[in-house]
Each structure stands twice: as structure tokens, then as C-alpha cells.
């Protein structure tokens, strides 16, 4: 369900999922039958009770009522401070805004099934997911619900895992995830992100007295200032060693945004500019760190808003998948 079908006119939307899939299929995975490396998630099955492990009852009630439209307008920032529509044209919509909940639940299911596949196979990558800005009582930054914590708490509830890590390398801090998991010793979080810019620079409370979730710390926060890019992988490595001090988890969920890429086109990612080579180094560093410790890992795509964003995912998956498939 592309956002344009809802009349949402976010300027930077490229078909990165399809590009990644086609590039792998025609490139380094061409010699492997697709059935060996590709699964389609069912996209259904996430229920109210799954959301309630993460979100407040009043927010879940609003999502499952006509009030969902108001929540969607807020989450996707479709109304400006004067109360007029902003990058939203209802006349272009083919679907009602309320279907954004169906879309979000399908993404949660994808993240959940990716976690299950990772537990079964050791590694799985979802070409979607990563709604890390949603907090317990509202959606934010295009994230209506937090697929990451909903998926992990569901799997914990099913008794399949006890401990999990969330390693978030998107350009933006995983602020919603930090708020939801604050004080939860079963989910440890590491976020490495731009040290400034959205959402970190806004005041702790806005004019209406609403709390800015980015003031809640992750277990490990690593802010990278502009100009510190050469230190990125060293700082990430130090962060992973610190994460290890909490004890090894049963599953790691990696929020693998490509928006720190120097060619990303979203204005709010400008303060962090990593090269294509550094991003491959980043992904392989995390991948090897986890596989050397036999930690199953589930990965989600998260942010990435440029014509060339797809290359970041192909560089990584095009390296690790042939290795894994040749050993099986
Ligand atoms: Zn991002």
C-alpha cells in the first residue's frame, strides 16, 4: 500500500524494496533458486492484544475507531500549525486514511515473521519495517505503531525467547523504542544516530506540554556529530562491546536504516553523511559480531530516502546471502 494511495504526498518515495529484490535476484543470488532465499509474509494476524503489550489502551482504542484518521493525520504530519492540509490531497486518495492501520499491522506481521524466520534459520531480512518513532500513546515520524517492540513482546509472550537486543543504526534516534523499553531488562537497546537535528533538538516539552520522547535514553546512545563520520565504525564497535555486557540475547533485531547515506535526500538526514563503503562496513560489523556469538538476527529496512538507497541493502545482502546459501 504505497502512501500515495492515501493522498499522502511525501516527496521522496522510491521503490527501494522492489529495486533491492530485483537486483539480488538478477545479481549475486541468480544462481540460487528463489525458494531457497525468499519468503512472503502473510501480512495478517496481528491483533489488538498484540498492540496492547506496547501501546496504551486508550491509544489502541483510538486506532480501532474512527479516531484513527486523526491519529494518522498527526503521525504523518499532514496538518500544519494553521490547521490546513500539508502534503496531503484527499482528492488523490484511493483508500481511506483508516487503512493506514491495516498497512501498519501488515508491517508488524512482517517484522514478527522475520523474527521467527531468524530464530529458525539464524538470519532473516525484512524488506520493510522499522517504525521506531511510535511511543506508547501516539504515533510519530510516519510510524503509527512500533513494529519492533510489538514483534519482540509477542515472541516473548509465546515463550520462544526471553532476552532481545534492538540495534538501531538508522540516522534518526530510535526514540519511541527507547521510551517503550525503558526499564525493561529483557529488551536492551543501542541506538547510533545523528547527535543533532530532528527529533533531538526540539525542547523536552512542546508548547502544548507534550513530552519529546528523544529525551528518554536508550540503554546505549551514540550520537555522531557532523564531521565525526570517520569515527563511526569505531564508535559502533565500542557500543556493541558495551551491549554485550548486558549478557547475550536469544535474538537481535537490527533497525538497518540506509538514511545515514551521504546521498540520502531527506532534509532531516543531512547531518550524517556516511559513504557507501562505510555503510557496508557498518552492516558487516554488526552481522559478524552477532554470527560469531551465535545470536540469531532479524533485520528490518527502516529509513532510506534517496534514488540510490537500495544499493546499501544490496551491497550487504549481496555479500552475506550467497555465503549463507553456499554453506547450507
Ligand atoms: Zn530515519
Amino acid at each position: 500500500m504505497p502512501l500515495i494511495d492515501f493522498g499522502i504526498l511525501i516527496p521522496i518515495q522510491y521503490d527501494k524494496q522492489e529495486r533491492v529484490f530485483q537486483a539480488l535476484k538478477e545479481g549475486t543470488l541468480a544462481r540460487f533458486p528463489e525458494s531457497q532465499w525468499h519468503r512472503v509474509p502473510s501480512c495478517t494476524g496481528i491483533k489488538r492484544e498484540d498492540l496492547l503489550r506496547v501501546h496504551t489502551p486508550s491509544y489502541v482504542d483510538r486506532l480501532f475507531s474512527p479516531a484513527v484518521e486523526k491519529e494518522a493525520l498527526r503521525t504523518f504530519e499532514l496538518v500544519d500549525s494553521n490547521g490546513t492540509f500539508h502534503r496531503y490531497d484527499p482528492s488523490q486518495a484511493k483508500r481511506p486514511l483508516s487503512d493506514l492501520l491495516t498497512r501498519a499491522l501488515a508491517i508488524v506481521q512482517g517484522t514478527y515473521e522475520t523474527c521467527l524466520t531468524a530464530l529458525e534459520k539464524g538470519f532473516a531480512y525484512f524488506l520493510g519495517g522499522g517504525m521506531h518513532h511510535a511511543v506508547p500513546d501516539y504515533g510519530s515520524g510516519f510510524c503509527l505503531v512500533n513494529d519492533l517492540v510489538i514483534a519482540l513482546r509477542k515472541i516473548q509472550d509465546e515463550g520462544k525467547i526471553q532476552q532481545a537486543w534492538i540495534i538501531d543504526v538508522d540516522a534518526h534516534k530510535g526514540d519511541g523504542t527507547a521510551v517503550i523499553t525503558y526499564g525493561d531488562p529483557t529488551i536492551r537497546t543501542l541506538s547510533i544516530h545523528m547527535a543533532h537535528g530532528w527529533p533531538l533538538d526540539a525542547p523536552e516539552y512542546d508548547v502544548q506540554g507534550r513530552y519529546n520522547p528523544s529525551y528518554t535514553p536508550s540503554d546505549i546512545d551514540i550520537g555522531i556529530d557532523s564531521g565525526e563520520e570517520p569515527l563511526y565504525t569505531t564508535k559502533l564497535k565500542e557500543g556493541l562491546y558495551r551491549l554485550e555486557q548486558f549478557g547475550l540475547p536469544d535474538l537481535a533485531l537490527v533497525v538497518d536504516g540506509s538514511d545515514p547515506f551521504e546521498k540520502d535526500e531527506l532534509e532531516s538526514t543531512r547531518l550524517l553523511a556516511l559513504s557507501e563503503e562505510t555503510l557496508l562496513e557498518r552492516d558487516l560489523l554488526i552481522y559478524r559480531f552477532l554470527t560469531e556469538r551465535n545470536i540469531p538476527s532479524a533485520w528490518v529496512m527502516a529509513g532510506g530516502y534517496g534514488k540510490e538507497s537500495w544499493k546499501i541493502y544490496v551491497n550487504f545482502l549481496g555479500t552475506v546471502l550467497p555465503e549463507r546459501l553456499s554453506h547450507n
Side-chain angles (χ1 to χ4, degrees):
M1 288 190 207
L3 291 177
I4 187 70
D5 285 3
F6 297 90
I8 297 175
L9 315 169
I10 288 168
I12 299 152
Q13 287 191 74
Y14 298 104
D15 49 352
K16 63 178 178 181
Q17 286 90 350
E18 283 98 315
R19 296 289 298 265
V20 171
F21 182 70
Q22 284 307 324
L24 291 171
K25 193 173 155 157
E26 288 156 20
T28 56
L29 297 183
R31 62 197 157 101
F32 301 100
E34 196 181 310
S35 60
Q36 275 184 20
W37 57 271
H38 182 224
R39 282 182 182 178
V40 180
S42 74
C43 290
T44 56
I46 294 298
K47 306 242 160 26
R48 250 180 126 99
E49 68 207 53
D50 299 312
L51 270 52
L52 285 167
R53 290 187 201 99
V54 166
H55 296 285
T56 60
S58 68
Y59 182 49
V60 174
D61 281 347
R62 295 201 297 283
L63 289 176
F64 285 92
S65 79
V68 66
E69 301 223 344
K70 211 171 138 198
E71 297 299 329
L73 291 171
R74 172 182 175 159
T75 298
F76 288 84
E77 298 158 23
L78 305 179
V79 182
D80 64 21
S81 52
N82 303 319
T84 50
F85 287 149
H86 165 63
R87 61 186 185 207
Y88 173 51
D89 180 1
S91 72
Q92 290 193 40
K94 294 181 208 149
R95 294 172 178 276
L97 282 179
S98 56
D99 278 2
L100 283 168
L101 176 64
T102 312
R103 180 182 186 271
L105 297 180
I107 294 170
V108 178
Q109 178 76 16
T111 301
Y112 166 72
E113 288 186 32
T114 304
C115 290
L116 294 183
T117 306
L119 289 173
E120 180 195 336
K121 301 276 185 185
F123 173 81
Y125 202 108
F126 179 31
L127 298 183
M131 299 188 286
H132 60 172
H133 295 306
V135 295
D137 51 350
Y138 59 89
S140 166
F142 309 165
C143 307
L144 203 58
V145 295
N146 193 303
D147 59 321
L148 310 160
V149 193
I150 297 172
L152 290 178
R153 291 213 171 135
K154 183 172 169 66
I155 292 168
Q156 286 176 322
D157 199 58
E158 290 164 351
K160 296 186 176 95
I161 64 164
Q162 292 180 327
Q163 300 285 328
W165 286 350
I166 297 178
I167 299 170
D168 190 328
V169 295
D170 189 273
H172 304 98
K173 178 178 168 176
D175 54 354
T177 304
V179 168
I180 294 166
T181 60
Y182 188 76
D184 176 354
T186 69
I187 300 179
R188 296 294 183 181
T189 56
L190 180 158
S191 179
I192 181 167
H193 46 256
M194 299 179 299
H196 295 286
W198 189 90
L200 299 164
D201 283 350
E204 191 170 357
Y205 291 91
D206 70 9
V207 282
Q208 282 136 348
R210 284 184 306 217
Y211 175 65
N212 176 348
S214 69
Y215 281 78
T216 297
S218 315
D219 287 301
I220 298 168
D221 275 317
I222 304 166
I224 304 290
D225 267 310
S226 282
E228 280 191 327
E229 284 86 350
L231 302 173
Y232 184 92
T233 40
T234 307
K235 290 193 167 208
L236 173 59
K237 196 186 274 180
E238 286 167 6
L240 292 172
Y241 286 127
R242 282 175 59 202
L243 191 58
E244 197 176 14
Q245 306 301 311
F246 290 113
L248 298 187
D250 306 305
L251 176 68
L253 185 47
V254 182
V255 186
D256 192 33
S258 67
D259 53 1
F261 187 25
E262 60 193 353
K263 292 186 182 169
D264 198 87
E265 294 167 45
L266 190 73
E267 189 55 41
S268 78
T269 65
R270 287 282 152 84
L271 297 172
L272 185 56
L274 301 181
S275 67
E276 203 175 324
E277 293 73 28
T278 304
L279 286 164
L280 179 59
E281 232 180 281
R282 171 195 76 171
D283 290 345
L284 291 175
L285 168 66
I286 299 168
Y287 176 79
R288 307 244 186 266
F289 184 89
L290 296 172
T291 44
E292 280 163 14
R293 287 158 183 77
N294 288 319
I295 301 168
S297 65
W299 299 56
V300 297
M301 262 189 151
Y305 315 90
K307 274 186 233 40
E308 297 185 37
S309 299
W310 61 276
K311 288 185 183 170
I312 304 306
Y313 305 98
V314 171
N315 292 343
F316 171 58
L317 289 168
T319 305
V320 303
L321 287 177
E323 278 177 23
R324 299 191 73 90
L325 290 163
S326 305
H327 289 143
N328 283 344

